[in-house]
Amino acid sequence: MKIKIIGTATTKFGELWDKSLEDLLREAVDGALRNANLEPKQIEAVFVANKAAGSYENQHHLNALVSQFFPHHPPAIRVEAACASGGLGIVTAEHALLADQYKTVLVVGVEKMSDLSASETTFILAGAADNTREYGSTFPALYALLAQSYEAKFGSQREYLSAVAVKNHRHALTNPQAQFHKEITAQQVAQSQLIADPLRLLDCSPISDGASAVILTTKQVSHKPQILGYGHAQDSLDLAGRSSLTTLAATTQAVEQALKKAKIKRSQLQVAEVHDCFTIAEILAIEDLGFFPKGQGGQATLDGETTIGGKIVINPSGGLKACGHPVGATGVKQIAFLAEQIQKGTYQYALAHNVGGSGATAVVHILGAS
Amino acid sequence: MKIKIIGTATTKFGELWDKSLEDLLREAVDGALRNANLEPKQIEAVFVANKAAGSYENQHHLNALVSQFFPHHPPAIRVEAACASGGLGIVTAEHALLADQYKTVLVVGVEKMSDLSASETTFILAGAADNTREYGSTFPALYALLAQSYEAKFGSQREYLSAVAVKNHRHALTNPQAQFHKEITAQQVAQSQLIADPLRLLDCSPISDGASAVILTTKQVSHKPQILGYGHAQDSLDLAGRSSLTTLAATTQAVEQALKKAKIKRSQLQVAEVHDCFTIAEILAIEDLGFFPKGQGGQATLDGETTIGGKIVINPSGGLKACGHPVGATGVKQIAFLAEQIQKGTYQYALAHNVGGSGATAVVHILGAS
């Protein structure tokens, strides 16, 4: 059974103070329906990916909220897996399709984060960690621990971390939905405010509002991007339980599952959207996904191997770093963006990599032209 | 493909101040594994149902939290649909099984509610309503509106509402996991504190802590209860968008779907666990499920038609009213309890009915002996 992506839409990502959670959801849903040229009634079920609307604005029950946009109130399910909510929302929709419960479904991911202060949002984001064994940790602090472990093994990463940020800001210039359209220099990254050593302000993805939707079908359609396979793996939620702090084992497992299901070789992949919530996360990702040997992801980035013309284009959307990171939307946006690129003919095979917490949940999708 | 229930466990429900969210999850997971006589490694995937651990204690990412109980960190997905989280968690697991992604999975539902004050919990529970169009409404107030609409059409329900509470408290006496083991009289219900007219304190389900787990498999096993079918329907999240306030349309749709999938007649059902978050909800449920004509559910209850020896036994566990209502656990507990009854030979066919919000999400399962 083949799953095709027949509609996509992503709102502008950013600090969208004039838009509510519901505005963002409606814009993405309506956009995907228009893009797929479908009537609302043709959607048989809805999957909603969101991390924390309950914490942000006490709106639980998002499945029902989105279902009521449709005149026929289709069955709807909300999935949450911290920052991997989007990727796992798509997996959950795939399960329903592969189980032949529905033929055509819509997945929408959303987060509305900018209405609270940065410290309140940092607290809510920390809910993706283990609140017993990592109590009080913030995500910059947890990723700083990963960066420190990595530097202890492979030496200072400053110029490499900066290269990730510079590249992703440059990529975002061509993505109209991106939060930032501003080139930055390595010097600006290296001199930006220290957040959690060695991570600086410009190493961090921003706080963002946004939504993204995709429509998936198992009906026969031509010339539409296809989901070739997915992988979904977990690791210990708290860092202390991990076998390594320089590899995200969930990523390595998820990509192997996805490649096996997709029946393609890693070398056929031309592009990947990876989970660069912090610059160190992109270096870990491109190594753990097997694109570069461990310890060499930073140099490869500096050498231009992860931009247009390099070995593999990483985060052409700008990634979480520059496109923005409305948490529940990110995993859906990765798929929507890559499907649009495949549809345009820019790439034939693409990978999306979505991570929850500091690597406790990893979801990898492989897409291909059909 | 047949889905069998091979393990169940439910913690004691109640105000469990000495147990954490994680304690409850571990107790249910370990209990279900023991009950199924399985090793942890035999669980291929985990589904976690929870409404609001993010709001209660800023613990999002429960899928990863539960996955790390298992040495092999199986893939895990958290599903939220307000008070229907449990039922929808089981539906989501069924999709994965029917898609043949896994053969044996565990579903665990949990809520830890008693650590906050009643007013804080009432606020969090209100997040299951539409926070734009029903801003400021509490759930007792919303169900009181339903009760008032019902009374406007069918006359005072006081003695009927009281009869529901009395019956469910009596049923709970034989359920060791139930929060309340205390018989109450109709007079006590009618004279309890007025909460939201006509609903009084003893018309309301309590604030509860608890967890429940079931293990489902598509492997061939004998003499284990089977899930014969499910239904999942939505209605407008806000009451103003409903076509009727005396019928929950999502329930009527979900039960028809479930009966069709299960290929049994309604008259074959001997027992049902229904979503009696308030006494009026049980009267609505037994009518909307088609067990009694509209307007006659209360009289049927008063006449003993919904207890042992009557037409159909409703809420032998004590229901949400007396067994307790740890929100994310409830839908799983209904299935676990009914599976245990079928396993004991008490019943052959059973129905579980789980509702989210004031009827925006409804999930119905039909179980049978195999």
Side-chain angles (χ1 to χ4, degrees):
Chain A
M1 194 182 284
K2 291 182 177 178
I3 298 176
K4 301 281 180 77
I5 302 169
I6 56 169
T8 62
T10 300
T11 68
K12 171 84 180 158
F13 282 7
E15 294 184 336
L16 309 174
W17 293 313
D18 58 339
K19 296 207 173 154
S20 69
L21 178 77
E22 188 172 327
D23 291 338
L24 293 167
L25 283 164
R26 284 187 185 270
E27 189 179 324
V29 168
D30 292 349
L33 287 168
R34 273 197 310 277
N35 183 252
N37 200 22
L38 290 185
E39 295 296 318
K41 283 219 169 192
Q42 293 176 273
I43 300 298
E44 295 164 48
V46 171
F47 296 81
V48 183
N50 173 260
K51 176 177 187 281
S55 297
Y56 280 111
E57 54 184 274
N58 202 40
Q59 182 64 73
H60 302 274
H61 215 177
L62 287 189
N63 65 317
L65 185 75
V66 179
S67 178
Q68 76 180 357
F69 297 170
F70 296 80
H72 61 306
H73 297 131
I77 295 176
R78 176 205 164 197
V79 172
E80 179 266 324
C83 306
S85 298
L88 217 44
I90 290 178
V91 168
T92 308
E94 290 172 75
H95 289 173
L97 289 169
L98 294 173
D100 207 19
Q101 303 295 294
Y102 310 110
K103 302 286 187 198
T104 302
V105 304
L106 181 144
V107 187
V108 60
V110 69
E111 212 80 44
K112 173 68 188 163
M113 306 170 73
S114 72
D115 286 345
L116 298 188
S117 69
S119 64
E120 288 168 315
T121 281
T122 300
F123 174 77
I124 291 169
L125 289 172
D130 186 318
N131 79 0
T132 303
R133 284 161 291 268
E134 291 174 329
Y135 189 79
S137 297
T138 65
F139 266 85
L142 291 170
Y143 271 92
L145 283 175
L146 295 177
Q148 286 168 20
S149 301
Y150 192 94
E151 292 196 331
K153 195 161 179 183
F154 300 111
S156 169
Q157 298 293 305
R158 184 64 268 157
E159 64 180 331
Y160 304 142
L161 298 174
S162 299
V164 170
V166 169
K167 167 186 69 74
N168 288 349
H169 272 255
R170 198 174 62 245
H171 284 179
L173 293 174
T174 58
N175 177 4
Q177 312 311 106
Q179 182 159 357
F180 299 124
H181 290 128
K182 183 179 164 64
E183 279 208 81
I184 57 173
T185 66
Q187 193 183 23
Q188 284 174 311
V189 182
Q191 292 179 353
S192 63
Q193 187 187 341
L194 190 64
I195 302 294
D197 197 20
L199 301 177
R200 294 175 174 272
L201 184 65
L202 291 177
D203 289 306
C204 308
S205 59
I207 290 167
S208 315
D209 306 324
S212 185
V214 297
I215 297 174
L216 309 178
T217 192
T218 54
K219 292 182 182 172
Q220 285 209 334
V221 288
S222 304
H223 310 300
K224 290 290 177 186
Q226 188 181 335
I227 297 182
L228 299 175
Y230 79 88
H232 169 201
Q234 309 282 154
D235 200 351
S236 167
L237 182 52
D238 72 305
L239 290 181
R242 306 277 174 89
S243 56
S244 166
L245 292 183
T246 54
T247 290
L248 298 191
T251 295
T252 62
Q253 289 172 35
V255 69
E256 292 306 327
Q257 290 173 23
L259 285 166
K260 197 171 161 193
K261 282 191 192 149
K263 298 191 180 108
I264 68 160
K265 291 180 194 160
R266 189 180 270 109
S267 58
Q268 292 177 270
L269 292 164
Q270 300 152 308
V271 61
E273 287 281 316
V274 309
H275 199 89
D276 62 323
C277 46
F278 299 92
T279 49
I280 184 64
E282 178 164 319
I283 294 176
L284 291 171
I286 61 178
E287 295 171 355
D288 296 338
L289 291 167
F291 300 141
F292 299 98
K294 188 49 70 182
Q296 296 179 28
Q299 187 65 53
T301 305
L302 194 64
D303 291 347
E305 291 297 322
T306 60
T307 189
I308 290 100
K311 184 184 172 194
I312 183 164
V313 183
I314 301 291
N315 282 328
S317 76
L320 285 59
K321 175 69 198 83
C323 182
H325 183 28
V327 172
T330 286
V332 181
K333 175 221 88 180
Q334 293 178 327
I335 303 283
F337 182 87
L338 291 170
E340 290 160 10
Q341 298 297 311
I342 290 170
Q343 188 68 23
K344 281 187 212 164
T346 315
Y347 305 106
Q348 190 169 8
Y349 292 109
L351 179 147
H353 165 250
N354 192 201
V355 170
S358 56
T361 301
V363 182
V364 169
H365 276 95
I366 293 176
L367 311 184
S370 61
Chain B
M1 193 181 286
K2 290 182 178 179
I3 297 177
K4 301 281 180 79
I5 302 170
I6 56 169
T8 62
T10 300
T11 69
K12 171 83 180 158
F13 282 7
E15 293 185 337
L16 310 173
W17 292 314
D18 58 338
K19 296 207 173 155
S20 70
L21 178 77
E22 189 172 328
D23 291 337
L24 294 167
L25 283 163
R26 284 188 185 270
E27 189 178 324
V29 168
D30 292 348
L33 287 168
R34 273 199 309 277
N35 183 252
N37 200 22
L38 290 185
E39 294 297 316
K41 283 219 168 192
Q42 293 176 273
I43 300 298
E44 296 164 48
V46 172
F47 296 81
V48 183
N50 173 259
K51 176 178 187 278
S55 297
Y56 279 111
E57 53 184 274
N58 202 39
Q59 183 63 74
H60 302 273
H61 215 176
L62 286 189
N63 65 316
L65 185 76
V66 179
S67 179
Q68 75 180 357
F69 298 170
F70 296 79
H72 61 306
H73 297 130
I77 295 176
R78 176 204 164 197
V79 172
E80 179 266 323
C83 306
S85 298
L88 217 43
I90 290 179
V91 168
T92 308
E94 290 172 76
H95 288 172
L97 289 169
L98 295 173
D100 207 18
Q101 303 295 292
Y102 310 110
K103 302 285 186 199
T104 302
V105 305
L106 181 144
V107 186
V108 60
V110 69
E111 213 78 45
K112 173 67 188 163
M113 305 170 74
S114 72
D115 286 346
L116 298 187
S117 69
S119 64
E120 287 168 316
T121 281
T122 300
F123 175 77
I124 291 169
L125 289 172
D130 186 319
N131 80 0
T132 303
R133 283 161 290 268
E134 292 175 328
Y135 188 79
S137 297
T138 65
F139 266 85
L142 291 170
Y143 271 92
L145 283 175
L146 295 177
Q148 286 167 21
S149 301
Y150 192 93
E151 292 196 331
K153 196 161 178 181
F154 300 109
S156 169
Q157 299 293 306
R158 183 65 268 157
E159 64 180 331
Y160 304 142
L161 299 175
S162 299
V164 169
V166 169
K167 167 185 69 74
N168 288 348
H169 271 255
R170 197 175 62 243
H171 284 180
L173 293 174
T174 58
N175 178 4
Q177 312 312 106
Q179 182 160 356
F180 298 125
H181 290 129
K182 183 178 163 63
E183 280 208 81
I184 56 174
T185 66
Q187 192 183 26
Q188 283 174 311
V189 182
Q191 292 180 353
S192 63
Q193 187 187 341
L194 190 64
I195 301 296
D197 197 20
L199 300 177
R200 294 175 175 272
L201 183 65
L202 291 177
D203 288 307
C204 308
S205 58
I207 290 167
S208 315
D209 306 323
S212 185
V214 297
I215 298 174
L216 308 178
T217 192
T218 53
K219 291 182 182 172
Q220 286 209 334
V221 288
S222 304
H223 308 301
K224 290 290 176 186
Q226 187 181 334
I227 297 181
L228 298 175
Y230 79 88
H232 169 200
Q234 310 281 156
D235 200 350
S236 167
L237 181 53
D238 73 304
L239 290 182
R242 305 278 174 87
S243 57
S244 165
L245 292 184
T246 53
T247 291
L248 298 191
T251 295
T252 62
Q253 289 172 35
V255 69
E256 293 306 328
Q257 290 173 23
L259 285 166
K260 197 172 162 192
K261 282 191 191 149
K263 298 189 180 111
I264 67 160
K265 290 179 194 160
R266 189 179 270 109
S267 58
Q268 292 177 270
L269 292 164
Q270 301 152 307
V271 60
E273 287 281 316
V274 309
H275 199 89
D276 62 323
C277 46
F278 299 92
T279 48
I280 184 64
E282 179 165 317
I283 293 175
L284 290 172
I286 61 178
E287 294 171 355
D288 296 338
L289 290 167
F291 300 141
F292 299 98
K294 188 49 72 182
Q296 297 179 27
Q299 187 65 53
T301 305
L302 194 64
D303 292 347
E305 291 298 322
T306 61
T307 189
I308 291 99
K311 184 183 173 195
I312 182 164
V313 183
I314 301 291
N315 283 328
S317 77
L320 286 58
K321 175 69 198 82
C323 182
H325 183 27
V327 172
T330 286
V332 181
K333 177 222 87 179
Q334 293 178 327
I335 304 284
F337 182 87
L338 291 171
E340 289 160 11
Q341 298 296 313
I342 289 170
Q343 188 68 24
K344 282 187 211 164
T346 314
Y347 305 106
Q348 190 170 7
Y349 292 109
L351 179 145
H353 165 251
N354 191 201
V355 169
S358 56
T361 301
V363 182
V364 170
H365 275 96
I366 293 176
L367 311 185
S370 63

